[in-house]
Amino acid sequence: MSDVTVRQLAEVLALPLEKLLSQLGEAGISVSSADQSITNTEKMKLLGFLRRSHGKVEKEEASPRQITLNRKTVSEIKVASATGKGSKTVNVEFRSRKTYVNRKAAGEEAPVDDFRETARKLLAESEAQRNAKELELRAAEDARKYESESVKRAADEEVARREKEERDKVAATEQARLDAEEATKRELSEVKRKEERERAAKDKPEEDRAKHKHAKPQTREVDEDAPTVAVPIVREVAPPTRYGRKELHVTEAKQGQRKHNKSKPQRSQDRNSDRQHAFSKPTAPVVREVLVPENITVGELSQRMAVKAGEVIKQLMRMGVMATINQVVDQDTALLVVGELGHKGRPAGLESIEEKITAQHDQEGEMQSRPPVVTIMGHVDHGKTSLLDYIRRTKVASGEAGGITQHIGAYHVETSKGVVSFLDTPGHAAFTSMRARGAKLTDIVILVVAADDGVMPQTIEAIQHAKAASVPLIVAMNKMDKADANPDHVRQGLALHEVIPEEWGGENIFVPVSAKTGMGIDALLDAILVQAEVLELKAPTSTRAQGVVIESSLDKGRGPVATVLVQSGTLKKGDMMLCGAEWGRVRAMFDASGQQINEAGPSIPCQVLGLSGTPNAGDKFSVVQDERFAREAAAQRSAQTRDSRLAKQSTKLENVFSTMGQGEQKSVNLVIKADVQGSVEALRDSLTKLSNEEVRVNVVASGVGGITESDAVLAQASSAILIGFNVRADAAARKIISDANLDINYYSIIYNVIDDVKKAISGKLGTDVREQIVGLAQVRDVFRSSKFGAIAGCLVIEGVVKRMLPIRVLRDNVVVFEGELESLRRFKDLVDEVRAGTECGIGVKLYNDVRAGDQIECFERTIVQRTLD
């Protein structure tokens, strides 16, 4: 065979070109392209490589003709018992034998001289080896599958055999029992018939009885097919069996079934004839009594009623409440749902922990007189703090920001007349909740009214708070040292609100005072103590302390600080205090002047350190027995507060429908931090009330203490404005504020905060376009011009008509066209404006239907920034 190219060799060998190139490379023959020639030497080299790869160089060693393999497999399976109780483990053994025969003929193959034939044969042998390998793998897979199926089939057969044995055993036992019952029945019937015959024989005459003796005895027919069972003959009824029957009884129909159907024994149908079923279908709806707590989730409510949660959700939707299975609903809504679903709802009482707190303070102690708690109320800048300042001989008012009080101050003053505890409340409109809280805590309210100013809005509000709390009212007419003081004007103004002075026949004490000169201060203290004696104020001192939180703050060096007013008992250093959702041991106590004290009795305000957090102003505090009880009670109160908050967020159906189709409401997000809890409360309430239909003020977060890093991150995430009221941001927070370019504002006066937030809301409101009429012209005649069209000859009757302003054409006081002036002429001259009382010619652009008697109204548009009312 002469030299050929690689491509030609691939065609001769019937091989793909790529495969041949690969084999040439493996044989060590360098081929650069398919058109390269290949020599005979390279062909023999390729042939030698193919022989070596297929093992044809040396003679294969002799191998055995056949191999026999024996296999044994043992496995365990678990099967259910035939009686249905438990399971059994069965060992299954599988044995197999397989013989493999070597069909390859011995001896060497004849040499092949021709390269083409040798290569083809080697390639064919390679293909045969691959096929043989595939067949061997397939055979091994089939053998594995057969082995698995055999094991499974053997296990199934073993299980079926055991179940059949169990069934046969049970059937045989049941058949034997039924046969014994049938034989017993026949014997009892025979005995009964014999007794009847004996009784009949006694009743007959003697001769008939003798005749009966010589009669042939009757024989009893016996079923030859029935098995013979030895049963003793008894004359009494058998005792009740374990199946509950009082006597053995088989009906004739059952006997027939047993005789003709012995191959398939059946269980006795009357085995449990006297027993009740384990479950019987109720004949009437089940009505349950459901205890409903203050807040409950939809899922828990459905479980207590034993109904599906979907039914509860459907009922809530019928009532207009959109809720999910994990949403919290309030007690009133839950009671309505329970009633609608046919059950009886009953409100659950307070939890046991609250009852335990009350029980711990039910101890009877010796009642002793206590100082009166006096709250000073009135309008802003009427001199409340100055009056208290004179009594205390300090300068508190001078240190207040803007000269106004912005949180409740608590003091107890030892005067020559006795000890009096004072609560100084703010007079600004934003501190309504503080004044209401002060009125509830107090025994006597002093209403301060400036004699030169008279009754003001916050004065009226203070009167309403005092009446709501049923607290006696003493009026202090302040600023009597001024020349324009008019006490009669004050009396008349208060009389309109049912505050009548004693000299006018009323019940309220009016005392003219001056916080600047001290006039009337002694008379005011006398009036307070006289009123306290009338009230006969008493409280126990030997019991555990109880009281109210007046104010709370977060001090950087001391931690949470709470100003509390003790109402009963004695608060001591080291007591375990439960205060709202906070708890802790009293580490230190301070009086109003900052001096450290060890205890505080009834009506004495003090500052307490050691709580776990800042409690809310107005929370009740109690001294409890131990730390564990305080922690559990605080956790429970915190959970109740959270559930109440979630219940208020339930979506009403009418609210969903009302918001459909409306545009997105704009919002101003705020993060508020203040020095005391009362200021936080006042700011949150005042700023939230600024919301309207278009812009909503959303307080993202609020708290006591300085602005921290987490506050800055929250403001950045929610695009909120940071407001610091008497607090500042720390270094980490300032860095985030600077990097994120956040808006932060510091304030010390509350009305400055309200004014700035109003400006922010006004910026969100956008602008309004307002129109103002500047001139009015009456059309006297209309002239037609081929060049200018319809020209209206007019007389300006009001204002000024200007050429650059838009106009409206009125006909019978109805707008028929709105556009602009095309031309404004005075005689032949083009002018910019024409004033009232002057004639002119007006050309209306794109409108040729101007008629005599029409009016042309000239107006201008201005853009005005919208503001809050």
Side-chain angles (χ1 to χ4, degrees):
M1 185 176 180
S2 59
D3 295 345
V4 294
T5 63
V6 176
R7 190 184 305 277
Q8 293 173 349
L9 181 61
E11 293 176 357
V12 171
L13 297 176
L15 282 175
L17 179 61
E18 292 78 5
K19 185 174 182 179
L20 182 58
L21 289 173
S22 175
Q23 291 179 347
L24 287 171
E26 293 175 357
I29 302 172
S30 176
V31 178
S32 59
S33 65
D35 296 328
Q36 180 179 340
S37 299
I38 183 170
T39 63
N40 290 333
T41 304
E42 293 173 341
K43 293 177 188 177
M44 296 307 296
K45 188 176 180 180
L46 175 62
L47 182 61
F49 167 73
L50 293 175
R51 284 182 174 178
R52 285 193 303 273
S53 61
H54 292 287
K56 297 298 182 179
V57 177
E58 297 180 358
K59 184 178 180 181
E60 296 179 356
E61 297 180 357
S63 58
R65 297 290 298 175
Q66 65 181 17
I67 299 174
T68 301
L69 299 178
N70 293 323
R71 294 182 180 178
K72 183 175 70 172
T73 305
V74 179
S75 61
E76 295 181 355
I77 61 173
K78 290 186 177 182
V79 297
S81 176
T83 59
K85 298 181 180 179
S87 59
K88 296 182 178 181
T89 302
V90 180
N91 294 328
V92 179
E93 179 179 321
F94 175 76
R95 297 179 180 180
S96 63
R97 173 181 295 178
K98 197 163 188 179
T99 302
Y100 296 93
V101 180
N102 186 5
R103 301 181 184 279
K104 183 177 179 181
E108 297 182 356
E109 297 181 354
V112 180
D113 297 333
D114 188 26
F115 173 76
R116 183 188 307 171
E117 294 298 329
T118 303
R120 282 180 178 176
K121 188 169 183 179
L122 289 174
L123 293 173
E125 288 179 359
S126 176
E127 186 69 23
Q129 287 180 359
R130 285 196 299 272
N131 294 338
K133 187 174 182 179
E134 291 179 359
L135 291 174
E136 184 178 355
L137 292 174
R138 192 178 297 113
E141 181 66 19
D142 293 343
R144 187 184 62 78
K145 289 182 179 180
Y146 176 77
E147 180 179 352
S148 176
E149 292 176 357
S150 300
V151 172
K152 184 177 180 181
R153 188 164 52 252
D156 293 342
E157 291 176 357
E158 178 67 18
V159 171
R161 183 183 64 78
R162 290 179 178 272
E163 289 180 352
K164 185 175 182 302
E165 291 178 356
E166 292 289 340
R167 287 196 300 270
D168 293 344
K169 185 184 297 184
V170 172
T173 304
E174 183 67 16
Q175 184 63 34
R177 187 186 62 79
L178 295 176
D179 291 343
E181 290 180 358
E182 186 176 356
T184 303
K185 173 62 179 176
R186 287 198 298 268
E187 293 295 337
L188 291 175
S189 300
E190 183 66 23
V191 170
K192 187 176 181 180
R193 286 196 297 269
K194 185 176 181 181
E195 291 177 350
E196 289 177 354
R197 286 198 300 269
E198 290 178 353
R199 284 196 299 270
K202 290 180 181 180
D203 295 337
K204 288 184 179 181
E206 189 66 26
E207 60 275 7
D208 294 338
R209 198 171 348 141
K211 185 177 180 181
H212 179 69
K213 289 182 181 180
H214 296 285
K216 185 178 180 181
Q218 295 183 358
T219 59
R220 180 169 56 88
E221 296 182 359
V222 180
D223 189 0
E224 296 179 356
D225 296 331
T228 304
V229 181
V231 180
I233 300 176
V234 295
R235 296 186 179 274
E236 295 182 357
V237 180
T241 65
R242 63 188 179 97
Y243 300 103
R245 292 191 299 272
K246 296 181 180 180
E247 63 177 355
L248 296 174
H249 175 72
V250 182
T251 60
E252 294 297 332
K254 294 295 181 181
Q255 292 178 2
Q257 288 181 2
R258 294 192 194 96
K259 290 181 180 179
H260 296 90
N261 195 15
K262 292 183 179 180
S263 60
K264 295 182 179 180
Q266 298 181 355
R267 295 181 180 271
S268 175
Q269 298 296 328
D270 60 341
R271 168 186 280 183
N272 298 324
S273 58
D274 293 339
R275 298 180 64 187
Q276 293 289 337
H277 285 289
F279 173 78
S280 59
K281 184 177 180 180
T283 58
V286 179
V287 179
R288 293 180 173 84
E289 185 176 5
V290 182
L291 290 177
V292 181
E294 184 178 356
N295 297 287
I296 188 172
T297 62
V298 175
E300 185 179 356
L301 183 61
S302 65
Q303 291 178 1
R304 295 192 179 189
M305 291 188 294
V307 299
K308 294 182 179 179
E311 297 296 329
V312 179
I313 294 175
K314 288 180 182 178
Q315 186 59 42
L316 286 170
M317 293 181 67
R318 295 190 191 102
M319 297 168 58
V321 178
M322 306 292 290
T324 60
I325 190 172
N326 295 322
Q327 194 161 345
V328 179
V329 294
D330 57 81
Q331 188 180 67
D332 295 336
T333 305
L335 289 174
L336 291 175
V337 172
V338 172
E340 291 293 334
L341 293 179
H343 300 283
K344 294 181 180 179
R346 185 164 61 87
L350 295 177
E351 299 295 335
S352 58
I353 289 185
E354 297 294 337
E355 296 176 356
K356 290 179 181 178
I357 294 174
T358 305
Q360 290 181 13
H361 292 84
D362 284 344
Q363 304 171 359
E364 295 183 359
E366 183 180 357
M367 303 295 288
Q368 297 182 2
S369 298
R370 64 175 179 85
V373 179
V374 180
T375 299
I376 300 178
M377 305 177 71
H379 193 71
V380 62
D381 201 26
H382 273 203
K384 299 180 297 297
T385 307
S386 299
L387 182 62
L388 181 61
D389 175 46
Y390 188 89
I391 297 174
R392 297 176 58 221
R393 297 291 192 273
T394 58
K395 296 293 182 182
V396 177
S398 60
E400 297 283 357
I404 64 172
T405 302
Q406 300 183 112
H407 54 80
I408 290 182
Y411 318 96
H412 73 278
V413 180
E414 296 182 1
T415 66
S416 58
K417 306 292 183 180
V419 179
V420 181
S421 295
F422 287 97
L423 301 180
D424 185 14
T425 62
H428 195 274
F431 296 95
T432 302
S433 57
M434 283 192 184
R435 288 191 293 275
R437 186 162 57 248
K440 292 179 181 178
L441 300 178
T442 190
D443 301 317
I444 302 171
V445 170
I446 295 180
L447 180 62
V448 178
V449 184
D452 61 340
D453 201 4
V455 178
M456 300 299 288
Q458 270 63 59
T459 309
I460 301 172
E461 182 187 311
I463 295 172
Q464 294 173 351
H465 289 320
K467 289 182 177 180
S470 301
V471 178
L473 192 66
I474 298 176
V475 179
M477 295 182 293
N478 196 18
K479 301 184 181 180
M480 291 295 295
D481 57 308
K482 288 191 174 183
D484 54 350
N486 189 356
D488 291 335
H489 178 64
V490 174
R491 293 186 180 94
Q492 291 173 0
L494 292 176
L496 297 176
H497 300 282
E498 300 179 358
V499 180
I500 312 298
E502 289 181 337
E503 53 266 27
W504 289 9
E507 298 179 354
N508 298 105
I509 302 174
F510 279 63
V511 181
V513 297
S514 174
K516 186 175 182 181
T517 63
M519 182 190 79
I521 299 298
D522 292 337
L524 181 62
L525 293 176
D526 289 339
I528 293 172
L529 295 175
V530 168
Q531 189 67 52
E533 290 179 2
V534 172
L535 296 175
E536 295 182 354
L537 303 173
K538 292 184 179 181
T541 58
S542 58
T543 59
R544 290 191 177 119
Q546 279 186 311
V548 183
V549 178
I550 299 174
E551 194 59 271
S552 64
S553 61
L554 186 63
D555 190 275
K556 186 175 182 180
R558 300 188 297 175
V561 179
T563 303
V564 300
L565 177 66
V566 181
Q567 293 179 319
S568 65
T570 302
L571 180 63
K572 301 177 182 179
K573 183 179 177 180
D575 286 345
M576 180 57 63
M577 178 186 289
L578 173 63
C579 190
E582 308 297 337
W583 62 279
R585 191 175 298 279
V586 179
R587 293 191 290 107
M589 297 172 61
F590 301 90
D591 60 7
S593 59
Q595 299 296 323
Q596 191 166 355
I597 58 177
N598 293 325
E599 62 180 26
S603 301
I604 300 299
C606 62
Q607 288 186 338
V608 175
L609 276 63
L611 294 177
S612 59
T614 55
N616 296 325
D619 285 348
K620 299 282 187 179
F621 82 83
S622 303
V623 173
V624 296
Q625 54 188 2
D626 53 20
E627 179 180 346
R628 178 180 178 183
F629 182 83
R631 187 186 297 109
E632 292 177 357
Q636 187 172 12
R637 287 179 175 178
S638 178
Q640 289 178 353
T641 304
R642 182 176 62 254
D643 293 343
S644 300
R645 184 173 63 252
L646 293 175
K648 292 179 181 178
Q649 297 175 357
S650 61
T651 304
K652 298 292 184 181
L653 193 62
E654 57 267 20
N655 296 340
V656 175
F657 292 151
S658 63
T659 56
M660 287 184 177
Q662 297 182 0
E664 183 179 358
Q665 188 182 26
K666 298 177 182 179
S667 63
V668 176
N669 296 331
L670 302 175
V671 174
I672 301 174
K673 296 300 287 292
D675 55 343
V676 294
Q677 187 68 38
S679 298
V680 173
E681 181 183 8
L683 285 168
R684 185 173 58 245
D685 295 342
S686 301
L687 297 179
T688 305
K689 291 178 182 178
L690 298 177
S691 302
N692 54 29
E693 296 179 354
E694 299 182 25
V695 180
R696 180 171 60 91
V697 177
N698 181 27
V699 180
V700 178
S702 61
V704 176
I707 299 173
T708 61
E709 182 180 0
S710 60
D711 297 327
V713 172
L714 179 60
Q716 180 182 5
S718 58
S719 301
I721 301 172
L722 282 165
I723 294 178
F725 190 79
N726 291 330
V727 294
R728 296 293 182 267
D730 58 17
R734 287 197 299 270
K735 185 177 185 306
I736 296 176
I737 292 169
S738 177
D739 295 341
N741 196 20
L742 299 178
D743 188 6
I744 183 169
N745 299 277
Y746 297 120
Y747 301 94
S748 59
I749 302 175
I750 192 168
Y751 49 74
N752 291 340
V753 185
I754 298 174
D755 293 342
D756 288 351
V757 174
K758 281 184 178 179
K759 293 178 183 178
I761 296 175
S762 300
K764 293 279 186 178
L765 291 176
T767 59
D768 278 344
V769 178
R770 295 182 181 178
E771 296 180 354
Q772 183 178 3
I773 299 174
V774 297
L776 184 65
Q778 182 76 34
V779 179
R780 297 296 179 86
D781 201 356
V782 179
F783 305 97
R784 303 289 176 179
S785 171
S786 59
K787 183 178 180 180
F788 299 106
I791 301 298
C794 303
L795 174 65
V796 180
I797 58 178
E798 291 181 10
V800 181
V801 176
K802 297 182 179 181
R803 185 164 59 90
M804 302 303 294
L805 297 180
I807 64 168
R808 294 190 184 95
V809 179
L810 307 178
R811 184 171 299 158
D812 297 331
N813 294 323
V814 178
V815 178
V816 296
F817 177 77
E818 182 175 345
E820 60 184 31
L821 290 177
E822 188 174 16
S823 63
L824 178 64
R825 293 178 181 270
R826 173 80 173 135
F827 298 107
K828 293 184 179 181
D829 298 331
L830 189 65
V831 295
D832 291 335
E833 63 180 32
V834 179
R835 296 188 176 277
T838 308
E839 293 181 346
C840 63
I842 297 176
V844 182
K845 190 176 183 179
L846 301 177
Y847 188 69
N848 293 322
D849 193 24
V850 181
R851 302 175 186 176
D854 291 349
Q855 291 181 338
I856 297 177
E857 181 183 81
C858 182
F859 63 93
E860 63 180 356
R861 294 186 177 97
T862 57
I863 298 176
V864 180
Q865 178 67 40
R866 297 178 61 190
T867 58
L868 289 174
D869 296 335

